[in-house]
Amino acid sequence: QVQLVESGGGLVQAGGSLRLSCAASGRTLSSYAMGWFRQAAGKEREFVAAIRWSDPRTYYPNSVKGRFTISKDNAKNTVFLQMNSVKPEDTAVYYCAADYSTSTVVRGHPNYWGQGTQVTVSS
């Protein structure tokens, strides 16, 4: 079992920055891939970023590449999502997720989810 708790959401102006955190707990965390997803009102959930605890490689869709950065603090079991140059279309509930398989995370079907944190970007 993996437990995930997001924090750091809030209201930010367009062009600004925000950093989300995801505190993870559970056994064998080092075997997992971690991901961030978002879901805007009335839209489907969207993959945003992924990383493995045991690997420095990161994964992003084109919609956020160059603006968002996923990182991790292995000692604190925490994953971050640094959001820069935010746009009103980045407004959504952001979720942290985990799965053994990186490809499963990237495809949008991880096994474990956090409760989500709201990000609102004002124009």
Side-chain angles (χ1 to χ4, degrees):
Q1 284 280 19
V2 175
Q3 292 79 42
L4 306 169
V5 179
E6 303 97 333
S7 61
L11 176 64
V12 59
Q13 286 189 332
S17 298
L18 199 64
R19 189 176 81 157
L20 307 182
S21 300
C22 172
S25 60
R27 297 175 62 183
T28 64
L29 278 179
S30 61
S31 301
Y32 283 83
M34 303 294 296
W36 285 98
F37 292 79
R38 65 186 181 185
Q39 188 166 21
K43 295 188 177 181
E44 293 187 356
R45 187 174 59 208
E46 176 187 15
F47 165 70
V48 173
I51 193 169
R52 293 196 69 88
W53 290 109
S54 58
D55 190 315
R57 287 176 293 180
T58 55
Y59 307 83
Y60 306 95
N62 288 336
S63 57
V64 305
K65 194 175 292 184
R67 298 190 301 121
F68 291 8
T69 302
I70 188 171
S71 62
K72 57 187 176 174
D73 184 333
N74 289 60
K76 296 182 178 180
N77 291 339
T78 301
V79 174
F80 304 98
L81 183 69
Q82 179 67 41
M83 306 167 59
N84 296 331
S85 302
V86 296
K87 305 174 182 179
E89 51 263 44
D90 294 322
T91 295
V93 178
Y94 283 72
Y95 297 92
C96 179
D99 195 274
Y100 278 122
S101 166
T102 306
S103 60
T104 299
V105 172
V106 173
R107 288 198 302 264
H109 302 289
N111 202 23
Y112 300 100
W113 293 89
Q115 83 287 352
T117 185
Q118 176 71 46
V119 172
T120 303
V121 182
S122 63
S123 57

